[in-house]
């Protein structure tokens, strides 16, 4: 079986969709299915440090459009022209990892799977430019028409697909959660932690947040809550910055880091005391699982699906409840009663997201289409 995979985000995105793709592909490779070969289709080679994270040997191959196409031709190839390459390469199943599929798959006789992470652009269009919402919605409906099977990464996303896409697609949807990279649950050496603390000038005690720093992620509420905690507690936020940073409170206890390489992220998790994820709406929330895997207690917000990711032993508050968040964070600091027991139960909870279990479900879905 030759499986084609949309690899644009794998080679270009450091976190989010890129992390999802790299983790899933590596976990599929680790399954060791000798009858399954992977071709990763990307419009260009992207970033070396991301592309080279894909493991494997002769059963994995990156594929690119021929020649040196312009940005417009690359986009056309990914949405249309790649189908000819899939037919040429003998691809049996094609998997769109980021909510879109090229048109013409059904006509070419290629079975397809699409992973849909969230429909925030339809549920909360106020967070997007109106042109982008129209483009994303068109891609979403195009993917529904082409896909033989749909992977929703959470029950919340499954419900959104049915409600916003149509009940006729309900029987095509499988919930397969995201997995997390094993490095987050692996002990980080004291030398690496000291090196990372020094490189980023991290405070001795801090609460961590990971994710794009944008309005929907609601970091201001976490910053205001941390200001209600003891003076030696700081907030470190790691992620790409947008204009939203200008709306954050000015505080010497708030530290913003961007451009952090993947190789340093696990050490930053290991140095933190707790994790906060105040987002107003998510499709899943993989940083929550990474934090729990690293041994951190989690405080997150209600209103979407974060309870699915964090489980019953994380703490949840309303997205505008600054005082409630401060209390929940206070009960997550070192020395708080029951903290270690909650961490242990949360780590048991996230075993359902471990790589081979997730990859096994995806591989079985591929086989079911043939």
């Amino acid at each position: 079986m030759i499986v084609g995979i949309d690899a644009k985000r794998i080679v270009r995105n450091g976190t989010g969709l890129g992390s999802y793709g790299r983790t899933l592909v590596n976990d599929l490779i680790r399954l060791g299915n000798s009858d399954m070969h992977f071709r990763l289709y990307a419009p260009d080679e992207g970033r070396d440090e991301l592309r080279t994270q894909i493991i494997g040997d002769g059963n994995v191959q990156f594929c690119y459009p021929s020649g040196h196409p312009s940005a417009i031709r690359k986009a056309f190839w990914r949405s249309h022209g790649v189908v000819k390459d899939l037919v040429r390469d003998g691809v049996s199943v094609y998997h769109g990892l980021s909510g879109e599929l090229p048109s013409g798959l059904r006509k070419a006789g290629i079975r397809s799977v699409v992973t849909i992470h969230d429909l925030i652009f339809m549920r909360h269009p106020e967070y997007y430019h109106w042109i982008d919402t129209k483009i994303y919605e068109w891609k979403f409906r195009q993917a529904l028409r082409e896909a033989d099977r749909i992977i929703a990464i959470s029950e919340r996303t499954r419900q959104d697909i049915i409600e916003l896409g149509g009940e006729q697609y309900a029987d095509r949807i499988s919930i397969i959660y995201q997995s997390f990279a094993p490095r987050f649950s692996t002990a980080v050496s004291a030398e690496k932690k000291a090196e990372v603390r020094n490189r980023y000038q991290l405070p001795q005690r801090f609460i961590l947040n990971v994710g794009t720093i944008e309005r929907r992620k609601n970091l201001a509420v976490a910053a205001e809550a941390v200001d209600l905690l003891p003076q030696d507690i700081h907030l470190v936020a790691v992620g790409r910055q947008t204009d939203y940073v200008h709306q954050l409170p000015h505080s010497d206890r708030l530290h913003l880091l961007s451009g952090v390489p993947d190789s340093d992220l696990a050490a930053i998790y290991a140095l933190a005391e707790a994790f906060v994820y105040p987002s107003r709406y998510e499709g899943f929330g993989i940083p929550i699982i990474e934090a729990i895997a690293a041994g951190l207690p989690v405080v997150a917000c209600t209103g979407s699906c974060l309870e699915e990711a964090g489980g019953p032993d994380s703490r949840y508050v309303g997205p505008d409840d600054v005082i409630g968040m401060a209390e929940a964070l206070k009960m997550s600091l070192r020395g708080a009663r029951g903290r270690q027991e909650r961490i242990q139960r949360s780590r048991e909870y996230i075993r359902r997201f471990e790589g081979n279990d997730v990859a096994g479900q995806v591989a079985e879905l591929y086989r079911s289409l043939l």
Side-chain angles (χ1 to χ4, degrees):
M1 181 196 306
I2 298 177
V3 178
I5 292 177
D6 177 12
K8 175 184 175 181
R9 308 293 183 180
I10 287 175
V11 302
R12 289 189 181 181
N13 290 40
T15 58
L17 296 177
S19 180
Y20 168 76
R22 289 186 296 274
T23 300
L24 176 59
V25 170
N26 284 338
D27 287 340
L28 285 166
I29 293 166
R30 290 188 184 100
L31 286 177
N33 292 324
S34 59
D35 65 329
M36 199 172 288
H37 299 263
F38 303 95
R39 287 181 178 264
L40 309 185
Y41 293 86
D44 50 49
E45 292 185 344
R47 296 160 56 184
D48 289 348
E49 71 271 20
L50 301 179
R51 187 183 64 258
T52 55
Q53 289 179 28
I54 298 298
I55 63 175
D57 40 40
N59 64 338
V60 183
Q61 180 181 345
F62 278 94
C63 305
Y64 312 104
S66 58
H68 301 281
S70 64
I72 293 176
R73 289 180 63 84
K74 287 177 183 179
F76 180 82
W77 175 83
R78 183 166 174 259
S79 61
H80 298 275
V82 69
V83 175
K84 291 183 179 179
D85 292 354
L86 302 179
V87 173
R88 176 200 65 199
D89 297 340
V91 168
S92 308
V93 177
Y94 184 79
H95 189 168
L97 298 180
S98 56
E100 53 188 302
L101 289 171
S103 60
L105 288 172
R106 281 184 176 271
K107 187 175 180 180
I110 298 172
R111 309 305 297 273
S112 62
V113 178
V114 65
T115 296
I116 295 179
H117 298 262
D118 61 66
L119 295 178
I120 301 170
F121 54 90
M122 295 176 71
R123 190 63 80 184
H124 288 284
E126 66 271 20
Y127 295 129
Y128 299 84
H129 191 286
W130 71 270
I131 293 178
D132 290 336
T133 64
K134 297 300 182 185
I135 293 172
Y136 297 155
E137 183 175 351
W138 182 88
K139 288 183 176 182
F140 164 60
R141 298 197 185 282
Q142 163 70 14
L144 293 185
R145 288 191 294 268
E146 289 283 355
D148 292 296
R149 295 301 298 270
I150 301 161
I151 293 176
I153 64 165
S154 68
E155 175 60 31
R156 175 67 270 162
T157 296
R158 188 185 80 88
Q159 292 292 340
D160 282 352
I161 294 169
I162 295 171
E163 181 178 338
L164 301 174
E167 291 191 4
Q168 67 268 33
Y169 299 109
D171 60 355
R172 296 190 203 173
I173 303 172
S174 299
I175 298 176
I176 301 180
Y177 289 111
Q178 291 181 254
S179 57
F180 59 91
R183 65 182 178 278
F184 294 107
S185 55
T186 303
V188 180
S189 70
E191 292 78 11
K192 177 66 175 179
K193 287 192 284 189
E195 172 196 331
V196 167
R197 187 187 293 278
N198 182 65
R199 178 180 302 137
Y200 300 105
Q201 294 296 293
L202 296 173
Q204 284 300 311
R205 300 185 70 190
F206 66 90
I207 294 165
L208 179 64
N209 169 264
V210 173
T212 303
I213 302 171
E214 59 182 328
R215 186 158 59 103
R216 174 173 56 88
K217 300 290 188 177
N218 198 32
L219 185 64
V221 169
E224 292 173 19
V226 167
D227 275 343
L228 300 178
L229 299 178
Q231 286 291 320
D232 62 336
I233 304 297
H234 293 241
L235 175 62
V236 173
V238 178
R240 180 176 61 84
Q241 298 178 22
T242 69
D243 289 344
Y244 174 71
V245 298
H246 303 302
Q247 301 177 35
L248 298 175
H250 297 286
S251 171
D252 59 4
R253 297 166 67 184
L254 174 61
H255 309 261
L256 305 180
L257 304 178
S258 59
V260 174
D262 215 41
S263 56
D264 288 344
L265 192 55
I268 296 176
Y269 274 110
L271 288 165
E273 194 159 330
F275 188 81
V276 64
Y277 205 66
S279 180
R280 293 184 180 276
Y281 205 90
E282 292 291 329
F284 186 54
I286 194 67
I288 287 177
I289 298 176
E290 294 171 351
I292 293 172
L296 297 179
V298 168
V299 175
C301 284
T302 57
S304 57
C305 65
L306 300 183
E307 294 93 336
E308 278 187 79
D313 289 289
S314 295
R315 293 181 177 269
Y316 307 95
V317 301
D320 296 303
D321 186 358
V322 175
I323 294 176
M325 182 168 289
E327 285 296 318
L329 289 171
K330 183 178 179 181
M331 295 305 298
S332 302
L333 298 176
R334 293 192 183 104
R337 180 179 300 176
R339 177 179 183 271
Q340 286 305 121
E341 291 78 7
R342 292 195 301 274
I343 291 173
Q344 184 57 40
R345 290 194 297 268
S346 292
R347 297 184 89 168
E348 288 294 320
Y349 174 82
I350 66 166
R351 290 181 63 185
R352 68 194 66 196
F353 308 128
E354 287 180 350
N356 284 344
D357 290 340
V358 173
Q361 293 176 64
V362 173
E364 187 57 35
L365 191 63
Y366 296 160
R367 290 196 177 92
S368 73
L369 291 175
L370 302 179

